[in-house]
Amino acid sequence: MIKLTIDQFENEVLRNLREEEEFYKFLKENKGLELLNKRIGKVSVEKIGQNYFLEDMVAEFLEEISHNLPLSEEEEKQCIENIDEDEFRDTLVTKYLREIAKLSFNYLKSGIDYMDLIQEGTIAMLENIDNYKESYGKLKDFIRAVIIRNYILYIEDKLDETKYEYISYLTNKKLHEEESVENQEEIEEVVEDEEIEEIKEEKIDIKKIDEKLKEVTNINYSKIPNKLTEDEIDILNLYFGFTGDKRESIFEIEESLGLERGEGEALFMNALNKVSTVGGRLFRI
């Protein structure tokens, strides 16, 4: 059995498990994968809020699935044994929406929409559940590994698309500025001092564009900040009952997290607003 923290598994995905064939080879070679629900390092959190509209559907979705009780071991085993039947497959997916919702809090990166993660996680589960084998470890760990890997690749694809747009824009801008400078330099000997200063400013602008190009090119998955803090993730999981045996009230959460009266509600509303935010960019230029 192999035990990995969440960030260890993320690094493994980014280094070696991008291809599905490599992912299942890894599961086969490391029988009994167990994903530990912790991280070694801290994840950066977005500091600047994004003023985009809120989607009421998110709160409604979380409220609805909070009533889906997890499957017992016997029920889960029955579903796996009859996975070819739609009824059992649908039951398994429906019950695991809680786990998908919980994982999505941790991968809600700047510029990513929460409900898009729910969709990606559900699709990943549907596409891979037939491949599950007991030798891979517990079903829950298998599903978590499948979903986390899918989230990483989904976010990375979004990042590549955004980087391509920025790099294309900056490259074209640089070409335009270089042409402008070349035209100015041809007449530099016969222009006034003030115009020569303008030429120097154009050259400085090109240098700034080069710096920005380098900055954008070097942005990778690990540098995209999360929208939610650890406390915000905790309070959402506790409130909707994704952690523990039951849902907790704001008052109970304040006690368990050691918060002052009123702090829990403010923290919860801030977290819910972040989860419900639609739109945004993966990074800013």
Side-chain angles (χ1 to χ4, degrees), residues 139-228:
L139 175 64
K140 185 176 181 179
D141 285 315
F142 171 78
I143 290 174
R144 290 176 70 207
V146 163
I147 292 171
I148 290 172
R149 172 179 172 272
N150 191 74
Y151 283 169
I152 292 171
L153 299 181
Y154 168 71
I155 293 168
E156 194 172 55
D157 283 345
K158 294 275 286 186
L159 175 61
D160 287 343
E161 290 175 10
T162 307
K163 285 173 66 173
Y164 175 78
E165 292 175 2
Y166 284 165
I167 290 171
S168 295
Y169 164 74
L170 291 169
T171 302
N172 289 333
K173 183 175 177 61
K174 178 183 177 182
L175 289 173
H176 174 76
E177 297 296 339
E178 286 175 339
E179 289 176 1
S180 176
V181 170
E182 287 175 4
N183 292 336
Q184 291 283 358
E185 286 178 340
E186 289 179 2
I187 58 171
E188 184 175 341
E189 294 180 0
V190 294
V191 299
E192 300 296 330
D193 291 342
E194 294 81 3
E195 291 174 307
I196 292 176
E197 287 302 317
E198 289 180 9
I199 293 172
K200 290 180 180 179
E201 287 178 7
E202 294 280 3
K203 290 181 178 179
I204 293 173
D205 286 342
I206 291 173
K207 184 178 179 181
K208 288 181 178 178
I209 293 172
D210 280 333
E211 291 173 352
K212 184 58 67 174
L213 272 169
K214 183 178 180 181
E215 178 187 336
V216 172
T217 302
N218 288 336
I219 292 175
N220 56 38
Y221 172 86
S222 63
K223 294 181 180 179
I224 308 173
N226 280 13
K227 288 184 182 179
L228 297 168

Side-chain angles (χ1 to χ4, degrees), residues 1-169:
M1 176 182 289
I2 179 173
K3 295 183 179 182
L4 296 175
T5 61
I6 296 298
D7 42 3
Q8 285 175 331
F9 179 68
E10 288 174 351
N11 290 332
E12 190 67 36
V13 170
L14 290 168
R15 287 198 304 264
N16 305 311
L17 308 180
R18 296 174 188 272
E19 300 299 326
E20 189 171 287
E21 182 179 346
E22 295 302 319
F23 173 60
Y24 279 101
K25 181 181 178 182
F26 171 81
L27 292 178
K28 184 177 180 180
E29 292 175 349
N30 299 279
K31 294 183 179 180
L33 171 66
E34 181 180 347
L35 288 181
L36 304 177
N37 193 27
K38 64 179 182 179
R39 289 177 175 274
I40 297 175
K42 286 194 172 182
V43 178
S44 63
V45 179
E46 185 178 54
K47 294 181 180 179
I48 303 175
Q50 301 191 46
N51 297 319
Y52 294 91
F53 69 90
L54 304 181
E55 176 56 76
D56 292 337
M57 182 198 312
V58 176
E60 294 171 1
F61 168 77
L62 292 172
E63 187 65 36
E64 180 180 343
I65 66 170
S66 69
H67 300 290
N68 289 343
L69 297 178
L71 293 170
S72 66
E73 288 186 13
E74 185 178 335
E75 289 171 329
E76 192 172 272
K77 183 178 180 181
Q78 185 180 21
C79 286
I80 289 297
E81 290 173 349
N82 299 278
I83 198 65
D84 292 334
E85 298 180 28
D86 290 341
E87 177 188 352
F88 290 97
R89 176 184 290 267
D90 291 345
T91 297
L92 198 59
V93 173
T94 300
K95 294 299 182 180
Y96 264 93
L97 277 176
R98 290 164 56 92
E99 188 64 27
I100 293 173
K102 181 180 176 181
L103 284 173
S104 296
F105 293 147
N106 294 280
Y107 291 90
L108 188 60
K109 299 281 186 179
S110 176
I112 300 295
D113 294 343
Y114 183 75
M115 293 308 294
D116 286 346
L117 288 177
I118 296 297
Q119 178 175 302
E120 289 295 321
T122 304
I123 291 172
M125 181 177 172
L126 283 169
E127 290 181 343
N128 289 273
I129 195 62
D130 290 331
N131 297 326
Y132 172 70
K133 299 176 182 177
E134 287 188 8
S135 62
Y136 291 158
K138 294 180 180 179
L139 175 64
K140 185 176 181 179
D141 285 315
F142 171 78
I143 290 174
R144 290 176 70 207
V146 163
I147 292 171
I148 290 172
R149 172 179 172 272
N150 191 74
Y151 283 169
I152 292 171
L153 299 181
Y154 168 71
I155 293 168
E156 194 172 55
D157 283 345
K158 294 275 286 186
L159 175 61
D160 287 343
E161 290 175 10
T162 307
K163 285 173 66 173
Y164 175 78
E165 292 175 2
Y166 284 165
I167 290 171
S168 295
Y169 164 74

Side-chain angles (χ1 to χ4, degrees), residues 252-270:
E252 290 173 320
I253 292 171
E254 286 175 339
E255 284 199 327
S256 61
L257 296 182
L259 302 173
E260 297 292 333
R261 182 64 62 86
E263 287 183 348
E265 184 173 1
L267 185 64
F268 170 73
M269 291 308 300
N270 192 48

